[in-house]
Amino acid sequence: MNTTRQWVREAVRIIEADFQRSADTHLIPLPLAGVPGIELYLKDESSHPTGSLKRRLARSLFLYALCNGWLKPGAPVIEASSGSTAISEAYFARLLNLPFIAVVPASTSPEKIAQIAFYGGQAHLVQDPTQIYAESERLARETGGHYLDQFTYAERATDWRANNNIAESIFQQLRFERHPVPAWLISSPGTGGTLATLGRYVRYRQHDTRVLCADAERSVFFDSYVSGDRGLTLDYGSGIEGIGRPRVEASFVPEVIDAMVKVPDALSLAAMHYLARRLGRRVGASSGTNLIGAILAGRCMLRRGERGSMVSLLCDSGERYATSYYDAGWLSAQGYALQPLIDAIEACAEHGAPLPGELPQVGLD
Ligand SMILES: *Cc1c(COP(=O)(O)O)cnc(C)c1O
């Protein structure tokens, strides 16, 4: 066997050994008196060692690249990332003793950049968030490295039938619940990879479960879903870290999504603060986006006279956003006045009041 092939074998062993030492993430019930008879669970992806659901993606992308023969001993690994993916990939790169460069928008929180460095990675900042892809390609070319390209490969690098993907884990953990097959799975799109895995898995397992995608305000996914146009672009980045994209990523698979809603940033942030209070700890803003999606799915079930369960995600922890989403000065400088919205979300979640405002949505009638 040649030496690169031997190196690949050892690298796969190291990643599998890391997985063997790891535990699964918790599934936490969140009672919502405002949607009686409907049970919501939150899959706590913030409890991964590198702090987000991107742990699963990073492992899959490294295994995919290794088994494709795309990684070489000593050659840099490069990624375009708003932060969370890069943190998890830096972890795996260090495990394999490979240099890691993350190409991130300059607006990325300093906590995330510090985390990338903590795991031995290097952050390469670009001013224009839409340029992270081209810059990653250039760096890979010039360094003889490999660009992992999460936005293209997320959906295909994940083993959607099994191999402890997030969907399989959720269904295992629900086995002894009153409603073990959820009526809805709710997630928000960054790469779109998690939604692709959820949607494929419920078809493969022949469940009736529907998948709701809760998009961010400054993002093309919702409009692309409604119009079918995959060519839509924006020239600015999302306000919710981790989700919402300025272009329709290749890993976004609309065919397996049953319903979509577009959540204003202020409502996502208010829901995040409400969740932090309910859970007694901080979570990231996309978890708030997901909660709004879950409340809408729950209200849709109530209107139809259905009972059952729903599962959504806590995507990352709020510790990363201490100087932004959880900083009162930052929030007011951005023009946010969240308290009335937080109160409205509480009234909705706990007393069944409607959510404030009409959100653009499809598939929830
Ligand atoms: C990546 C990400 C998501 C969305 O997951 P995808 O599988 O990439 O669509 C949600 N929240 C956070 C914080 C993320 O980093």
Side-chain angles (χ1 to χ4, degrees):
M1 215 170 24
N2 70 36
T3 50
T4 304
R5 184 72 183 272
Q6 268 166 8
W7 177 81
V8 168
R9 174 193 283 195
E10 176 62 4
V12 171
R13 185 196 66 74
I14 290 169
I15 292 177
E16 291 300 85
D18 174 85
F19 183 69
Q20 198 60 39
R21 296 190 300 270
S22 303
D24 201 357
T25 60
H26 298 270
L27 191 61
I28 300 169
L30 186 81
L32 294 178
V35 283
I38 295 162
E39 274 138 47
L40 173 64
Y41 301 84
L42 301 173
K43 180 71 167 154
D44 185 8
E45 295 291 289
S46 74
S47 64
H48 286 290
T50 41
S52 80
L53 80 174
K54 291 303 192 313
R55 175 84 167 190
R56 295 180 195 270
L57 174 61
R59 172 175 171 264
S60 297
L61 286 169
F62 268 88
L63 286 174
Y64 190 70
L66 280 166
C67 296
N68 281 330
W70 292 344
L71 300 184
K72 304 271 171 348
V77 178
I78 291 144
E79 182 63 289
S81 169
S82 67
S84 290
T85 304
I87 294 166
S88 289
E89 289 170 343
Y91 172 93
F92 286 104
R94 192 178 63 178
L95 214 52
L96 303 184
N97 210 9
L98 295 173
F100 180 74
I101 306 168
V103 179
V104 303
S107 59
T108 303
S109 71
E111 293 92 335
K112 280 189 179 170
I113 290 168
Q115 284 276 300
I116 294 167
F118 176 79
Y119 289 110
Q122 185 191 327
H124 179 90
L125 274 55
V126 292
Q127 287 308 321
D128 177 355
T130 64
Q131 287 309 306
I132 59 174
Y133 318 97
E135 186 62 7
S136 300
E137 281 168 21
R138 187 188 68 80
L139 278 175
R141 235 182 1 255
E142 289 178 7
T143 61
H146 175 68
Y147 168 29
L148 286 169
D149 195 356
Q150 57 165 335
F151 294 107
T152 299
Y153 293 107
E155 58 88 7
R156 71 193 80 160
T158 303
D159 299 333
W160 49 273
R161 276 165 295 216
N163 192 7
N164 189 45
N165 72 43
I166 191 169
E168 183 184 35
S169 167
I170 288 169
F171 278 84
Q172 284 291 325
Q173 290 177 319
L174 283 173
R175 254 182 320 160
F176 301 136
E177 298 304 307
R178 192 174 303 139
H179 303 287
V181 175
W184 286 97
L185 296 173
I186 302 107
S187 182
S188 45
T191 63
T194 302
L195 284 153
T197 300
L198 296 173
R200 287 168 175 162
Y201 187 85
V202 296
R203 280 165 180 73
Y204 177 60
R205 292 286 168 181
Q206 305 145 58
H207 294 309
D208 291 332
T209 308
R210 286 159 291 176
V211 172
L212 169 63
C213 171
D215 197 13
E217 179 179 331
R218 288 175 261 167
S219 175
V220 291
F221 291 127
F222 179 85
D223 297 319
S224 167
Y225 184 78
V226 172
S227 68
D229 183 354
R230 290 197 72 106
L232 299 178
T233 56
L234 296 172
D235 54 10
Y236 45 85
S238 172
I240 305 296
E241 279 196 39
I243 64 167
R245 301 296 312 160
R247 67 174 203 190
V248 184
E249 304 295 350
S251 285
F252 180 69
V253 183
E255 291 83 355
V256 300
I257 293 169
D258 300 285
M260 254 189 105
V261 56
K262 186 169 178 144
V263 182
D265 289 355
L267 204 55
S268 290
L269 293 176
M272 175 198 82
H273 280 281
Y274 171 73
L275 256 183
R277 209 193 64 214
R278 287 289 307 274
L279 297 168
R281 64 191 159 97
R282 291 172 170 184
V283 294
S286 66
S287 305
T289 313
N290 286 345
L291 179 67
I292 297 297
I295 288 173
L296 289 172
R299 291 176 66 84
C300 170
M301 288 176 70
L302 276 189
R303 280 197 305 276
R304 295 179 183 178
E306 298 170 2
R307 296 183 153 249
S309 60
M310 317 185 286
V311 180
S312 190
L313 273 55
L314 302 175
C315 303
D316 66 352
S317 136
E319 302 315 316
R320 297 172 168 181
Y321 310 107
T323 58
S324 54
Y325 305 145
Y326 287 96
D327 183 273
W330 185 92
L331 287 171
S332 60
Q334 303 290 313
Y336 289 119
L338 297 182
Q339 197 54 52
L341 285 176
I342 298 172
D343 295 342
I345 290 166
E346 177 184 315
C348 178
E350 294 171 31
H351 307 289
L355 277 174
E358 284 284 315
L359 307 192
Q361 53 183 272
V362 46
L364 281 172
D365 343 280

